Amino acid sequence: MVAQIDPFHAIAISREAHRLEAEGRSILHMEFGQPSTGAPAAAIAEAHRVLDRDPMGYWESPALKERIARHYRERHGVTVEAEQILLTCGASPGLVLALNSLFMPGDRVVIARPGYVAYRNTIKALYLEPEEVACGPAERYQISADALAAIDPAPQGLIVASPANPTGTIIPPEEMARIAGLCAQRGIRIVSDEIYHGLSYGAPARSMLEYAPGAVVVNSFSKYFSMAGWRLGWVVVPHDLVETARARMGNLFLMPPSLAQHAGLKAFDARDELDGHVATYRRNRELLLAALPALGLREIAPPDGAFYIYADVGHLTGDSLAFCRKLLHDTGVATAPGVDFDPDEGRRHIRFSFAVSTAQVQDAISRMIPWFKTQAAHVTA
């Protein structure tokens, strides 16, 4: 039997947005979580240098793996050896690699709802069983140790994300420690999606490796490093999983592009430039949060990190996909429907990405304020 995979509706919204743009419409792309900025200048310069001098080929950069290992020592105080790091073609293959290395068909893997659409669908594609736990405002849209303790029998796996997509919420350190302890007691393997690390607006996000050395961590150059199109990421695996994961990596994905690896090494030390992007996101976040009351949106997930606002529009619609399409056609603002992230409650939510320029956020707000007022008037009429 072929696994039944649900569509990623934000991709359809984006296709429609690009079609309208090709027709001459002014479109503001807030549907995807991708920075509008490019790779750091040093990374681009290195790519030009390598293109001129190196024919390239199949290659795994020892220097990049060492640099990533150093990052965990310096930023998180944990020892990770270079051999534990597998370089991947972005976080999406990294997630496949992690799940396929850890679990057998039929194993149950717990995820938060709302959560990133590909968690549910990748789990299903690998013939695992997604077990979704509803996480609302009371739980700050995150899995808790108490929720895990209530699942009987214990699942084989858990995916956590902090900061999370679509909500931007961060799991507090003490709760991460409780989750790690509970998983150790119950034999639950942890996959920690940490692709939004570096993008936080209060205390920095903590790595699950600080609490669970046996966790598998997925990370990427697509978000903080502003290199989505370069398709470069990494997975950190415990020593007992290195050979298993490496065998799967070699057969399923081989290795990431050589050019991206050269550039990624330079990007790791472009912190001043990259933190400037974070300052822009911080300003964009502030602008959107200040504008939400004028949009009539008062129930949102706390955007501690990442670059998203997940908002309840249930007073205006019960069909978030149709709502996002109408918003796009009427205003040119492309957003993501909540049904991608939560097949149930997501019908009354939408997600804004503020990983665009501040001018674009200001333009989007000016377009949306009168539109949302009109929608509210229609509902109450």
Side-chain angles (χ1 to χ4, degrees), residues 48-371:
H48 282 295
R49 188 192 70 78
V50 170
L51 279 172
D52 290 338
R53 301 182 185 183
D54 188 342
M56 292 180 284
Y58 299 129
W59 179 63
E60 188 178 38
S61 170
L64 180 55
K65 296 203 297 181
E66 289 286 355
R67 182 63 187 86
I68 293 170
R70 190 179 116 204
H71 162 77
Y72 284 98
R73 291 193 299 271
E74 295 175 347
R75 187 62 60 94
H76 298 290
V78 297
T79 299
V80 171
E81 296 178 9
E83 70 172 16
Q84 295 176 252
I85 296 165
L86 285 79
L87 302 176
T88 64
C89 303
S92 296
L95 178 64
V96 173
L97 179 66
L99 294 173
N100 190 253
S101 298
L102 283 169
F103 305 116
M104 298 286 289
D107 282 353
R108 293 156 50 234
V109 180
V110 169
I111 54 176
R113 189 178 72 237
Y116 180 45
V117 58
Y119 297 155
R120 182 189 328 115
N121 287 317
T122 303
I123 288 169
K124 291 195 294 185
L126 295 173
Y127 295 95
L128 309 172
E129 296 292 334
E131 185 159 340
E132 297 183 272
V133 175
C135 301
E139 298 81 22
R140 298 187 77 257
Y141 300 91
Q142 282 282 10
I143 285 283
S144 68
D146 289 342
L148 278 173
I151 299 174
D152 186 33
Q156 284 73 37
L158 165 70
I159 297 177
V160 295
S162 176
N165 178 8
T167 61
T169 55
I170 289 176
I171 302 174
E174 60 275 11
E175 189 62 26
M176 288 192 79
R178 290 186 66 222
I179 290 170
L182 184 73
C183 287
Q185 292 170 13
R186 305 192 74 192
I188 302 169
R189 299 299 298 260
I190 301 173
V191 176
S192 183
D193 181 350
E194 301 182 0
I195 68 171
Y196 296 102
H197 275 209
L199 303 172
S200 57
Y201 308 105
R206 308 288 285 270
S207 174
M208 183 56 79
L209 292 175
E210 298 176 43
Y211 311 98
V216 175
V217 167
V218 177
N219 211 321
S220 170
F221 282 81
S222 295
K223 310 300 182 180
Y224 172 76
F225 293 98
S226 196
M227 294 177 65
W230 295 74
R231 305 318 303 138
L232 182 63
W234 72 87
V235 176
V236 182
V237 300
H239 287 287
D240 68 322
L241 209 63
V242 169
E243 293 306 317
T244 296
R246 189 166 296 284
R248 283 157 173 76
M249 180 67 196
N251 282 283
L252 295 175
F253 307 113
L254 202 56
M255 55 194 61
S258 295
L259 186 65
Q261 296 180 64
H262 285 291
L265 181 59
K266 294 297 182 181
F268 237 103
D269 294 313
R271 297 286 173 168
D272 288 346
E273 182 178 349
L274 296 168
D275 287 344
H277 298 336
V278 179
T280 297
Y281 305 148
R282 184 186 301 275
R283 175 60 178 153
N284 294 350
R285 172 181 174 272
E286 292 169 354
L287 288 170
L288 276 171
L289 289 175
L292 289 176
L295 299 178
L297 305 183
R298 293 177 174 81
E299 296 183 29
I300 67 164
D304 305 321
F307 29 53
Y308 305 121
I309 288 180
Y310 192 63
D312 189 333
V313 292
H315 60 296
L316 300 175
T317 185
D319 185 345
S320 59
L321 179 57
F323 188 84
C324 287
R325 284 176 172 150
K326 181 169 175 54
L327 175 61
L328 170 63
H329 280 265
D330 290 353
T331 71
V333 178
T335 55
V339 72
D340 269 339
F341 312 104
D342 184 339
D344 299 324
E345 290 298 313
R347 290 173 294 185
R348 50 183 293 130
H349 289 80
I350 65 173
R351 189 196 71 181
F352 303 94
S353 169
F354 51 84
V356 293
S357 71
T358 298
Q360 288 174 313
V361 168
Q362 292 170 325
D363 190 2
I365 290 170
S366 68
R367 297 185 195 190
M368 290 192 295
I369 286 176
W371 187 84

